[in-house]
């Protein structure tokens, strides 16, 4: 991937790398042939049209260093194959959180905090809206009574087509399967706070030693010292994105009419609604409402749909 070009500044070497973290105006970039470097943006990239989304964690970039100064610059951003997008605080703008993600791992716990269908569905819809496949990770399986909850969750979500992975960082249940799923790809861990995301990351890569703590001791924000998103390298190859502050995500870019498409089991019945653009809330001859009545669509999923629809 190395290439050398000449310019007025002397000989430049170009390499491909992956952005692990953005810190102020600097970027931590992993370049296979070189290691980890810190790079700044080349002038013309700085003035790119969409300032907020110029270069973000996950991007594959071309970097070079001038032999005269030894400092690194990012010259080019490669096309992104996926983007995890949420609404920026205030809800008026999109914010690209991390790019080139292969899987979204939606983490929830069975108890402490109790499994919450609204949260699960909100994060699954986020994955659907971004076109990124999701896996539902059900953590804290060691707690008494967990298997009854797990059975219900498995019954509901596997029927829709989602993979559900029960885990426990205490007993190690499911950890090897999770490791295998993450191997060689880029994944993002999302979910409410307190469900065990940091603990899972620590279990997967013990070197990290991320701070974890009981739910009661911590506020919604400020888990460990990172404020932004960073990619953590896995020993088995691949990266996992830690997304602090992603516990209460507002969706971006899902219009009311498209929302039902983000619920896979609504898609078939939605084709039979009388009205095109039916919101499946009050319209006559709505096939989605009929499917809810007939228990072909789970009540819990429909409730989540309505909550998200109200936010539009
Ligand atoms: P995060 O906010 O999602 O990153 O959650 P943390 O990793 O900080 O964990 C929150 C709390 O749950 C901590 O007290 C952990 O020790 C605890 N915890 C994490 N995983 C498990 C688990 O599998 N079983 C049990 N019983 N507790 C866990
Ligand atoms: Zn309808």
């Amino acid at each position: 991937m190395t290439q050398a070009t000449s310019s007025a500044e002397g000989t430049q070497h170009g390499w491909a790398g992956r952005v692990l973290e953005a810190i102020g105006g600097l970027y931590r970039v992993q370049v296979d042939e070189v290691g980890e470097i810190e790079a700044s943006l080349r002038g013309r990239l700085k003035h790119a049209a969409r300032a907020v989304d110029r270069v973000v964690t996950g991007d594959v970039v071309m970097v070079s260093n001038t032999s005269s100064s030894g400092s690194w610059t990012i010259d080019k951003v490669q096309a992104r194959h996926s983007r995890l997008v949420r609404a920026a605080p205030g809800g008026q703008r999109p914010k690209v959180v991390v790019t080139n993600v292969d899987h979204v791992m939606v983490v929830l716990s069975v108890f402490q905090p109790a499994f919450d269908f609204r949260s699960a569905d909100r994060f699954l819809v986020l994955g659907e809206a971004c076109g990124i496949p999701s896996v539902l990770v059900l953590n804290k399986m060691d707690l008494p009574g967990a298997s009854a909850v797990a059975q219900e969750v498995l019954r509901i979500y596997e029927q829709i087509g989602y993979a559900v992975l029960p885990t426990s960082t205490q007993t190690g249940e499911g950890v090897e399967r999770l490791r295998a799923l993450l191997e060689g790809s880029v994944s993002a861990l999302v979910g409410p706070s307190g469900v065990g995301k940091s603990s899972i990351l620590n279990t997967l890569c013990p070197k990290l030693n991320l701070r974890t703590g009981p739910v009661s001791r911590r506020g919604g924000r400020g888990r460990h010292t990172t404020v932004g998103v960073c990619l953590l390298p896995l020993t088995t190859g691949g990266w996992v994105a830690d997304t602090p502050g992603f516990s209460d995500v507002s969706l971006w870019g899902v219009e009311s009419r498209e929302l039902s498409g983000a619920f896979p089991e609504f898609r078939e019945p939605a084709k039979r609604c009388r009205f095109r653009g039916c919101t499946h809330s009050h319209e006559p001859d709505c096939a989605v409402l009929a499917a809810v009545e007939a228990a072909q669509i789970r009540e819990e999923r429909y409730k989540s749909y309505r909550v998200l629809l109200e936010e539009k």
Side-chain angles (χ1 to χ4, degrees), residues 23-82:
I23 318 145
L26 281 179
Y27 298 85
R28 204 151 59 75
V29 182
Q30 171 69 39
V31 180
D32 285 346
E33 298 88 339
V34 182
E36 237 180 78
I37 57 156
E38 274 198 353
S40 53
L41 291 187
R42 186 164 288 283
R44 67 186 141 77
L45 267 183
K46 263 189 219 164
H47 301 113
R50 305 257 309 229
V52 277
D53 303 340
R54 242 165 1 215
V55 173
V56 297
T57 303
D59 277 342
V60 176
V61 293
M62 295 304 296
V63 293
S64 64
N65 70 341
T66 50
S67 34
S68 49
S69 68
S71 59
W72 290 88
T73 52
I74 294 175
D75 304 322
K76 189 169 183 275
V77 185
Q78 309 290 53
R80 298 160 171 170
H81 75 73
S82 71

Side-chain angles (χ1 to χ4, degrees), residues 119-132:
S119 292
D121 294 334
R122 180 182 295 272
F123 286 104
L124 290 172
V125 164
L126 170 77
E128 295 284 343
C130 298
I132 308 171

Side-chain angles (χ1 to χ4, degrees), residues 107 112 139-143 167-171 191-200 202 211-215 218 223-224 242:
V107 186
Q112 301 176 13
N139 194 37
K140 309 201 188 185
M141 283 300 293
D142 55 282
L143 294 175
T167 59
S168 165
T169 61
Q170 305 284 309
T171 65
S193 95
V195 296
K197 296 181 297 299
S198 305
S199 307
I200 289 173
N202 280 335
R211 192 154 61 90
T212 62
V215 186
R218 296 166 313 135
R223 279 194 292 129
H224 39 92
D242 183 21

Side-chain angles (χ1 to χ4, degrees), residues 65-250:
N65 70 341
T66 50
S67 34
S68 49
S69 68
S71 59
W72 290 88
T73 52
I74 294 175
D75 304 322
K76 189 169 183 275
V77 185
Q78 309 290 53
R80 298 160 171 170
H81 75 73
S82 71
R83 306 183 316 163
L84 198 58
V85 185
R86 63 174 295 177
Q92 302 304 307
R93 290 175 298 107
K95 173 149 181 55
V96 178
V97 179
V98 51
T99 62
N100 299 315
V101 173
D102 301 303
H103 314 278
V104 176
M105 299 286 155
V106 177
V107 186
L108 277 103
S109 47
V110 272
F111 300 118
Q112 301 176 13
F115 186 86
D116 175 22
F117 285 94
R118 300 299 88 74
S119 292
D121 294 334
R122 180 182 295 272
F123 286 104
L124 290 172
V125 164
L126 170 77
E128 295 284 343
C130 298
I132 308 171
S134 302
V135 173
L136 189 55
V137 177
L138 191 57
N139 194 37
K140 309 201 188 185
M141 283 300 293
D142 55 282
L143 294 175
S147 45
V149 178
Q151 262 174 24
E152 195 194 353
V153 171
L154 277 152
R155 205 171 47 228
I156 294 178
Y157 289 94
E158 286 192 335
Q159 191 180 28
I160 304 167
Y162 291 111
V164 181
L165 181 56
T167 59
S168 165
T169 61
Q170 305 284 309
T171 65
E173 175 179 350
V175 170
E176 285 316 309
R177 273 181 69 197
L178 182 60
R179 202 190 297 278
L181 272 174
L182 301 177
E183 193 179 324
S185 60
V186 179
S187 318
L189 278 190
V190 298
S193 95
V195 296
K197 296 181 297 299
S198 305
S199 307
I200 289 173
L201 288 171
N202 280 335
T203 309
L204 292 170
C205 14
K207 270 195 317 199
L208 288 174
N209 207 9
L210 298 176
R211 192 154 61 90
T212 62
V215 186
S216 56
R217 271 201 286 133
R218 296 166 313 135
R221 296 178 61 88
R223 279 194 292 129
H224 39 92
T225 47
T226 346
V227 214
V229 180
C230 72
L231 283 190
L232 305 164
L234 296 167
T235 46
T236 44
W239 286 275
V240 52
D242 183 21
T243 53
F246 218 114
S247 46
D248 180 27
V249 56
S250 307

